[in-house]
Structures are given as C-alpha cells and as structure tokens.
C-alpha cells in the first residue's frame, strides 16, 4: 500500500506542476542550457524507465524473477484491480 500512496502523492504533485505551468512549450533555463518544460517532462519519463530496467536486471542477476515494468501492463492490472478482477 505504501507504494500506491507514494504514487498518488507524486501524481498529485505532478498534476499541480502541470496546472501551474500551462504553457509546456515555454523555455526554462537549466544551468548551461535551455529547454522546454515538455522536454524536461519527457526526460523524467525516460529516466524512470531507465531505472526500472536497472532494478529488473539486478533482481534477475540475483536469481529473482523479473517484474513487469511495462506501462500498458500497469494500466491493465490497475483497471482490473479497480473492478475486482485481480
């Protein structure tokens, strides 16, 4: 349950950020370069995928079964849990 609570909190914070920055095409300076807010969001999503892959690889190297990290699988199981199918 802790993971779901953390996910819900993070989701709320992300939603709040989007609401406070309605123009995701606006440029945002970051150190030596400037990028659009949309670019930073895309990086965030891609970077999370990278880390999920690392964790899965480490678990397999330790002899544990892999865990699904596919977003489509997550959506399917989440919606199935909501209607009591899982």
């Amino acid at each position: 349950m802790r993971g779901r609570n953390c996910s819900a909190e993070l989701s709320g914070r992300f939603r709040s950020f989007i609401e406070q920055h309605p123009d995701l095409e606006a440029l945002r300076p970051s150190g030596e370069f400037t990028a659009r807010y949309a670019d930073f969001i895309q990086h965030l999503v891609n970077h999370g995928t990278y880390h999920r892959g690392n964790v899965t690889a480490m678990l397999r190297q330790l002899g544990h079964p892999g865990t699904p990290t596919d977003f489509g699988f997550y959506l399917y199981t989440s919606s199935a849990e909501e209607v009591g199918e899982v």
Side-chain angles (χ1 to χ4, degrees):
M1 226 23 208
R2 177 183 152 105
R4 289 192 187 275
N5 290 340
C6 181
S7 178
E9 179 186 343
L10 186 58
S11 176
R13 290 174 63 190
F14 191 68
R15 189 171 290 117
S16 176
F17 176 86
I18 297 292
E19 289 169 356
Q20 292 173 25
H21 299 87
D23 182 9
L24 297 180
E25 296 299 315
L27 296 176
R28 165 87 164 92
S30 178
E32 304 263 333
F33 71 97
T34 300
R36 300 173 307 148
Y37 282 104
D39 296 325
F40 286 107
I41 294 168
Q42 183 67 49
H43 170 73
L44 179 71
V45 171
N46 286 342
H47 198 68
T49 301
Y50 169 79
H51 283 290
R52 285 191 302 278
N54 283 345
V55 169
T56 298
M58 286 186 266
L59 287 171
R60 287 186 180 145
Q61 289 171 353
L62 294 170
H64 299 282
T67 184
T69 60
D70 182 72
F71 185 64
F73 180 79
Y74 165 77
L75 291 175
Y76 171 76
T77 57
S78 293
S79 64
E81 285 176 359
E82 288 176 11
V83 295
E85 294 179 4
V86 174

